[in-house]
């Protein structure tokens, strides 16, 4: 695509993840996890000393080569989906991949969970053309993670700068209106902010593991009335003879995926008309990374009736999609939220990220957390009003977070009650 200034780096565009070796991509996407894999291969006894970081997940599943490949192989991205892969790759003079970005040319704003439809409508009413736009994201996945994927090494800063420059060059080359980097984490947020990207905030609800040994330990941090309510809720969710099964790896048979997809399709059709993921995706992702999938299924009278799919990172369980074909009181909360907490405690995970929106999660012990996205808008006539709007929105989000935190079910004094 281009030379990256005086750094001796080259930026190119790949229109398929298959054009980038999995090892090279993953070394950029999750460099700490990639290094640990190699260390373990050489010295398996070192596993006990690796530890689990709590601030960031060092092995995010949604930017992995396997996840993106499953989306491509199933046709959820590419073709006529409106998500056209345009992966940026930064290479040195020897052809080694130093950085990459999961970037897509978009002809719509569906499946992003950071809503800019109002911006698009206003710009097009004023005579502009909002689409195509350039989106840097994990498709259909409102989970914070790395977006400027940079391998560890002495040239990491140069590679990140080349990647940011490549995004602007690609935007200009494709005559896109804007660049959107959604659900970003540090150091990407700071690097993009320094380049003039506008910062947008939103709220999600995450559960944090404070070293709990059991679900009852977690309940002990809640006010007495809230503890009793959750215990009753969990009992009533299973009162109709419902059993819970947690499936992963070889448990994820095609028959299981058939059942889960029926749940997912029903819920997706009622929420937004057409689900983003197709049946082929679940087979593909189950085969590619089944050990990182935690599928919680509810069974009654010998058949599955509801389920929720989660993906596991190094220290985080990511709740993604839920569905059901039978409506049972509180079952959604049990399958999606309580079971996720049970799993995180049992496996020593630092947190559960329960996906987009949903203030009902607060009563289940999930805390309000600010998520961030960064936006570069080329036309100053659109950029100025969007910047003013985002400044007000950030204040509202911060105030909302504080108000929700004050309503949390946790004991206020830290003592017993």
């Amino acid at each position: 695509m281009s030379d990256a200034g005086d750094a001796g780096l080259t930026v190119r565009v790949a229109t398929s993840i298959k054009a980038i070796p999995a090892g090279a991509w993953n070394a950029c996407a999750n460099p700490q996890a990639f290094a640990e894999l190699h260390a373990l291969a050489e010295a398996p006894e070192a596993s006990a000393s690796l530890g689990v970081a709590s601030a960031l997940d060092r092995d995010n599943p949604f930017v992995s080569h396997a996840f993106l490949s499953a989306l491509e192989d199933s046709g959820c991205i590419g073709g006529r989906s409106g998500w056209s892969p345009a992966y940026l790759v930064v290479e040195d003079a020897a052809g080694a991949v130093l950085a990459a970005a999961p970037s897509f040319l978009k002809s719509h704003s569906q499946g992003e969970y950071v809503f800019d439809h109002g911006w698009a409508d206003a710009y097009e009413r004023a005579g502009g053309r909002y689409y195509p736009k350039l989106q840097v994201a994990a498709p259909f996945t409102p989970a914070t993670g790395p977006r400027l994927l940079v391998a560890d090494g002495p040239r990491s800063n140069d590679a990140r700068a080349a990647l940011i420059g490549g995004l602007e060059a690609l935007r200009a080359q494709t005559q896109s209106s804007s660049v959107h980097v959604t659900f970003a984490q540090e150091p990407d947020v700071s690097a993009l902010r320094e380049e003039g990207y506008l910062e947008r905030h939103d709220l999600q609800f995450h559960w944090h593991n404070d070293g709990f040994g059991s679900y009852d330990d977690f309940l002990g941090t809640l006010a007495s009335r809230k503890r009793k309510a959750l215990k009753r809720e969990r009992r009533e969710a299973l009162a109709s003879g419902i059993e819970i099964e947690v499936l992963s790896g070889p448990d994820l048979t095609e028959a299981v995926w058939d059942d889960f997809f029926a749940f997912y399709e029903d819920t997706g059709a009622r929420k937004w008309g057409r689900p983003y993921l197709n049946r082929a995706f679940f087979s593909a992702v189950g085969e590619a990374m089944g050990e990182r999938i935690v599928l919680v299924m509810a069974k009654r009278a010998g058949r599955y009736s509801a389920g929720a799919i989660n993906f596991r990172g190094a220290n985080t369980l990511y709740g993604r999609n839920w569905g059901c074909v039978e409506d049972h009181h509180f079952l959604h909360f049990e399958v999606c939220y309580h079971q996720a907490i049970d799993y995180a405690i049992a496996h020593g995970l630092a947190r559960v990220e329960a996906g987009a929106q949903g203030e009902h999660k607060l009563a289940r012990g999930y805390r309000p957390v600010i998520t961030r996205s960064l936006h570069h808008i080329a036309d100053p006539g659109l950029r100025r009003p969007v910047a003013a709007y985002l400044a007000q929105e950030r204040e509202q989000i911060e105030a909302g977070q504080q108000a929700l935190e004050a309503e949390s079910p946790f004991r206020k004094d830290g003592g017993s009650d």
Side-chain angles (χ1 to χ4, degrees):
M1 176 181 168
S2 66
D3 291 330
D6 297 328
L9 304 178
T10 300
V11 184
R12 65 179 176 92
V13 177
T15 56
S16 170
I17 195 69
K18 302 298 178 63
I20 308 165
W25 177 275
N26 289 334
C28 297
N30 291 300
Q32 186 175 356
F34 188 80
E36 288 174 1
L37 267 178
H38 282 272
L40 285 174
E42 296 181 3
E45 69 278 1
S47 60
S49 65
L50 292 177
V52 176
S54 59
L56 297 175
D57 198 322
R58 69 178 187 272
D59 193 6
N60 186 286
F62 304 115
V63 292
S64 68
H65 197 277
F67 185 79
L68 296 170
S69 292
L71 289 171
E72 277 194 27
D73 291 344
S74 60
C76 292
I77 59 176
R80 301 176 64 183
S81 68
W83 289 80
S84 298
Y87 304 114
L88 283 181
V89 181
V90 177
E91 298 172 328
D92 65 13
V97 177
L98 303 186
S103 40
F104 304 85
L105 289 171
K106 292 291 303 297
S107 60
H108 54 68
S109 291
Q110 304 301 317
E112 298 166 7
Y113 301 90
V114 176
F115 303 107
D116 62 348
H117 301 86
W119 307 355
D121 291 344
Y123 194 50
E124 293 183 358
R125 284 198 305 269
R129 189 183 68 158
Y130 195 73
Y131 303 104
K133 64 177 185 176
L134 186 59
Q135 190 82 23
V136 183
F140 320 117
T141 307
T144 294
R147 296 295 179 259
L148 305 179
L149 314 181
V150 181
D152 287 340
R155 306 204 64 187
S156 59
N157 289 336
D158 289 341
R160 181 174 286 106
L163 206 54
I164 295 173
L167 288 172
E168 171 56 20
L170 182 58
R171 185 208 62 75
Q173 180 179 310
T174 57
Q175 297 184 318
S176 297
S177 68
S178 46
V179 183
H180 306 266
V181 184
T182 46
F183 297 100
Q185 67 183 34
E186 294 293 354
D188 301 342
V189 171
S190 295
L192 292 166
R193 192 192 299 124
E194 289 177 4
E195 292 299 321
Y197 278 61
L198 304 177
E199 186 171 354
R200 188 173 196 182
H201 292 177
D202 202 352
L203 281 178
Q204 286 187 353
F205 295 86
H206 300 171
W207 179 83
H208 297 276
N209 187 353
D210 292 329
F212 302 123
S214 67
Y215 187 85
D216 283 341
D217 288 347
F218 156 64
L219 286 181
T221 66
L222 307 184
S224 175
R225 181 170 59 88
K226 301 296 185 180
R227 289 199 301 271
K228 292 176 182 177
L230 292 189
K231 287 181 178 180
R232 182 175 65 254
E233 178 173 288
R234 298 199 72 175
R235 286 196 304 270
E236 292 186 18
L238 306 180
S240 300
I242 293 173
E243 299 176 349
I244 300 296
E245 294 183 2
V246 179
L247 310 177
S248 188
D251 302 326
L252 302 172
T253 65
E254 291 302 299
V256 167
W257 285 131
D258 285 341
D259 287 334
F260 178 75
F261 184 70
F263 311 153
Y264 166 74
E265 194 172 34
D266 179 75
T267 299
R270 285 187 282 108
K271 276 190 173 182
W272 53 78
R274 183 176 65 86
Y276 297 130
L277 303 172
N278 58 28
R279 173 63 182 83
F281 167 76
F282 292 101
S283 290
V285 79
E287 182 177 354
M289 50 193 302
E291 296 298 335
R292 304 186 68 178
I293 293 172
V294 179
L295 188 65
V296 180
M297 298 285 274
K299 178 180 281 187
R300 189 180 72 86
R303 63 185 290 266
Y304 293 126
S305 58
I309 188 171
N310 305 268
F311 287 78
R312 178 174 171 170
N315 62 357
T316 305
L317 189 68
Y318 299 92
R320 287 300 302 113
N321 306 108
W322 140 272
C324 66
V325 292
E326 292 182 5
D327 188 17
H328 296 277
H329 203 36
F330 297 134
L331 186 60
H332 173 236
F333 302 142
E334 175 64 26
V335 171
C336 293
Y337 310 129
H338 300 310
Q339 287 290 326
I341 291 173
D342 283 343
Y343 185 93
I345 292 173
H347 292 83
L349 302 182
R351 62 183 174 272
V352 178
E353 294 194 13
Q357 304 170 338
E359 291 186 12
H360 56 275
K361 299 166 188 172
L362 189 72
R364 279 91 203 165
Y366 289 72
R367 294 182 180 273
V369 174
I370 289 177
T371 60
R372 293 169 168 80
S373 61
L374 288 302
H375 308 268
H376 168 59
I377 298 172
D379 189 336
L382 179 61
R383 178 185 173 85
R384 283 191 295 270
V386 168
Y389 168 77
L390 292 182
Q392 295 179 347
E393 186 183 52
R394 288 193 298 271
E395 292 181 0
Q396 294 169 356
I397 292 295
E398 183 177 359
Q401 182 194 33
Q402 294 174 357
L404 287 167
E405 190 64 57
E407 297 176 7
S408 75
F410 295 92
R411 296 197 308 262
K412 306 306 179 187
D413 58 2
S416 59
D417 56 5

